[in-house]
Each structure stands twice: as structure tokens, then as C-alpha cells.
Amino acid sequence: MSEDKNKTAKAIYQKMMEKDYCTQWLDTSLLEIKEGYCKLSMRVRKEMLNGHGILHGGIAFTFADSAFAFASNSYGRVSVSINGNMIYSKAAHEGELLYAEAKALNVTYKTADFDVEISNEQGEVYYYFRGTVYRSSKQVLEE
């Protein structure tokens, strides 16, 4: 993969983050971005917990969706989710550091499928996400 494509993916991430107030609220850190791939980290905070004292499922989904969004838009075309599913295998707790790793599975002219795994520091996978995006003809960096 060329260095130019990686620079483009990073520029797309930076542009999207300027107005992605939800991902800003999650307080994620970008660990890696390249075409078709994104890895983020996030620390579970008290305000992210549900009534059982574990990470709220909607927050886990949002974290996965953020990595999914950056990975799917990294090709340069504006891509928006048209489907997403999550399997909740294990519960995360306050203070845990989580990683969301999004990888392209299948990219066509109009759609793309991605898997996102959310794991802890030991590499245990807590949540499995699979999503599909619609790939428009608009360019992210020309919006």
C-alpha cells in the first residue's frame, strides 16, 4: 500500500473528526489508520455505564461504529452505514482500556463490508460488529 494512500486516510480521519462530536465525546485515540483499516482505543468512563455497572451496549456499538466509519471512508469516497450488527460476548467495566479494530472484508463500487472487533488490553474480544456502508460518488476531502 502506498504512503500516499495512508496519508490520505489520515487526512480523511482528521477532517471527519473535526465535526464528529460523538467520537470526540468518547475520547478515543487513533492508533492506526490506513486504507480499509482503523484502530482506535477508548477508556471506559463512569458516564458510559448502564444500570448494571457495565459498558452500555449503545456505547460499545458507537465505539465500533466510529472505527467502522473511519475505515470505510479511508478510501476517499463518502461512505455511510446502511447496516450494522453487534454481538455482545463479554461486558466491559469502568476503567478498562478497549480497542476497536475495523477491517475491510469486501469492497465493491457501491458497498463495502467491514468487521470490527472490540477487545481489552489482553486481546480478549468483548464485542463483534459487522457493518455495510453505501459508497457514494462524493469525495470526503472535497466536501
Side-chain angles (χ1 to χ4, degrees), residues 20-125:
D20 189 340
Y21 304 112
C22 185
T23 302
Q24 290 175 31
W25 178 82
L26 290 176
D27 195 25
T28 65
S29 295
L30 177 66
L31 302 177
E32 187 176 356
I33 183 89
K34 59 187 176 186
E35 193 175 71
Y37 179 87
C38 179
K39 187 171 184 181
L40 303 173
S41 67
M42 175 190 81
R43 177 92 45 199
V44 177
R45 303 188 313 268
K46 186 176 187 174
E47 61 269 24
M48 296 175 170
L49 304 180
N50 66 18
H52 298 293
I54 58 176
L55 182 64
H56 192 288
I59 301 295
F61 190 99
T62 301
F63 183 41
D65 191 47
S66 291
F68 170 48
F70 299 130
S72 64
N73 280 273
S74 67
Y75 293 96
R77 290 171 46 196
V78 174
S79 300
V80 294
S81 177
I82 57 174
N83 187 41
N85 298 291
M86 178 83 96
I87 297 171
Y88 302 86
S89 294
K90 296 184 180 189
H93 296 86
E94 184 178 358
E96 284 192 87
L97 183 63
L98 300 178
Y99 301 95
E101 188 173 19
K103 298 176 184 177
L105 297 174
N106 183 48
V107 180
T108 69
Y109 185 75
K110 287 289 187 185
T111 64
D113 301 310
F114 286 79
D115 272 350
V116 183
E117 290 185 350
I118 298 178
S119 58
N120 67 5
E121 290 181 273
Q122 290 73 42
E124 270 184 286
V125 180

Side-chain angles (χ1 to χ4, degrees), residues 119-134:
S119 58
N120 67 5
E121 290 181 273
Q122 290 73 42
E124 270 184 286
V125 180
Y126 284 16
Y127 311 98
Y128 299 88
F129 174 96
R130 177 163 285 177
T132 302
V133 291
Y134 168 75

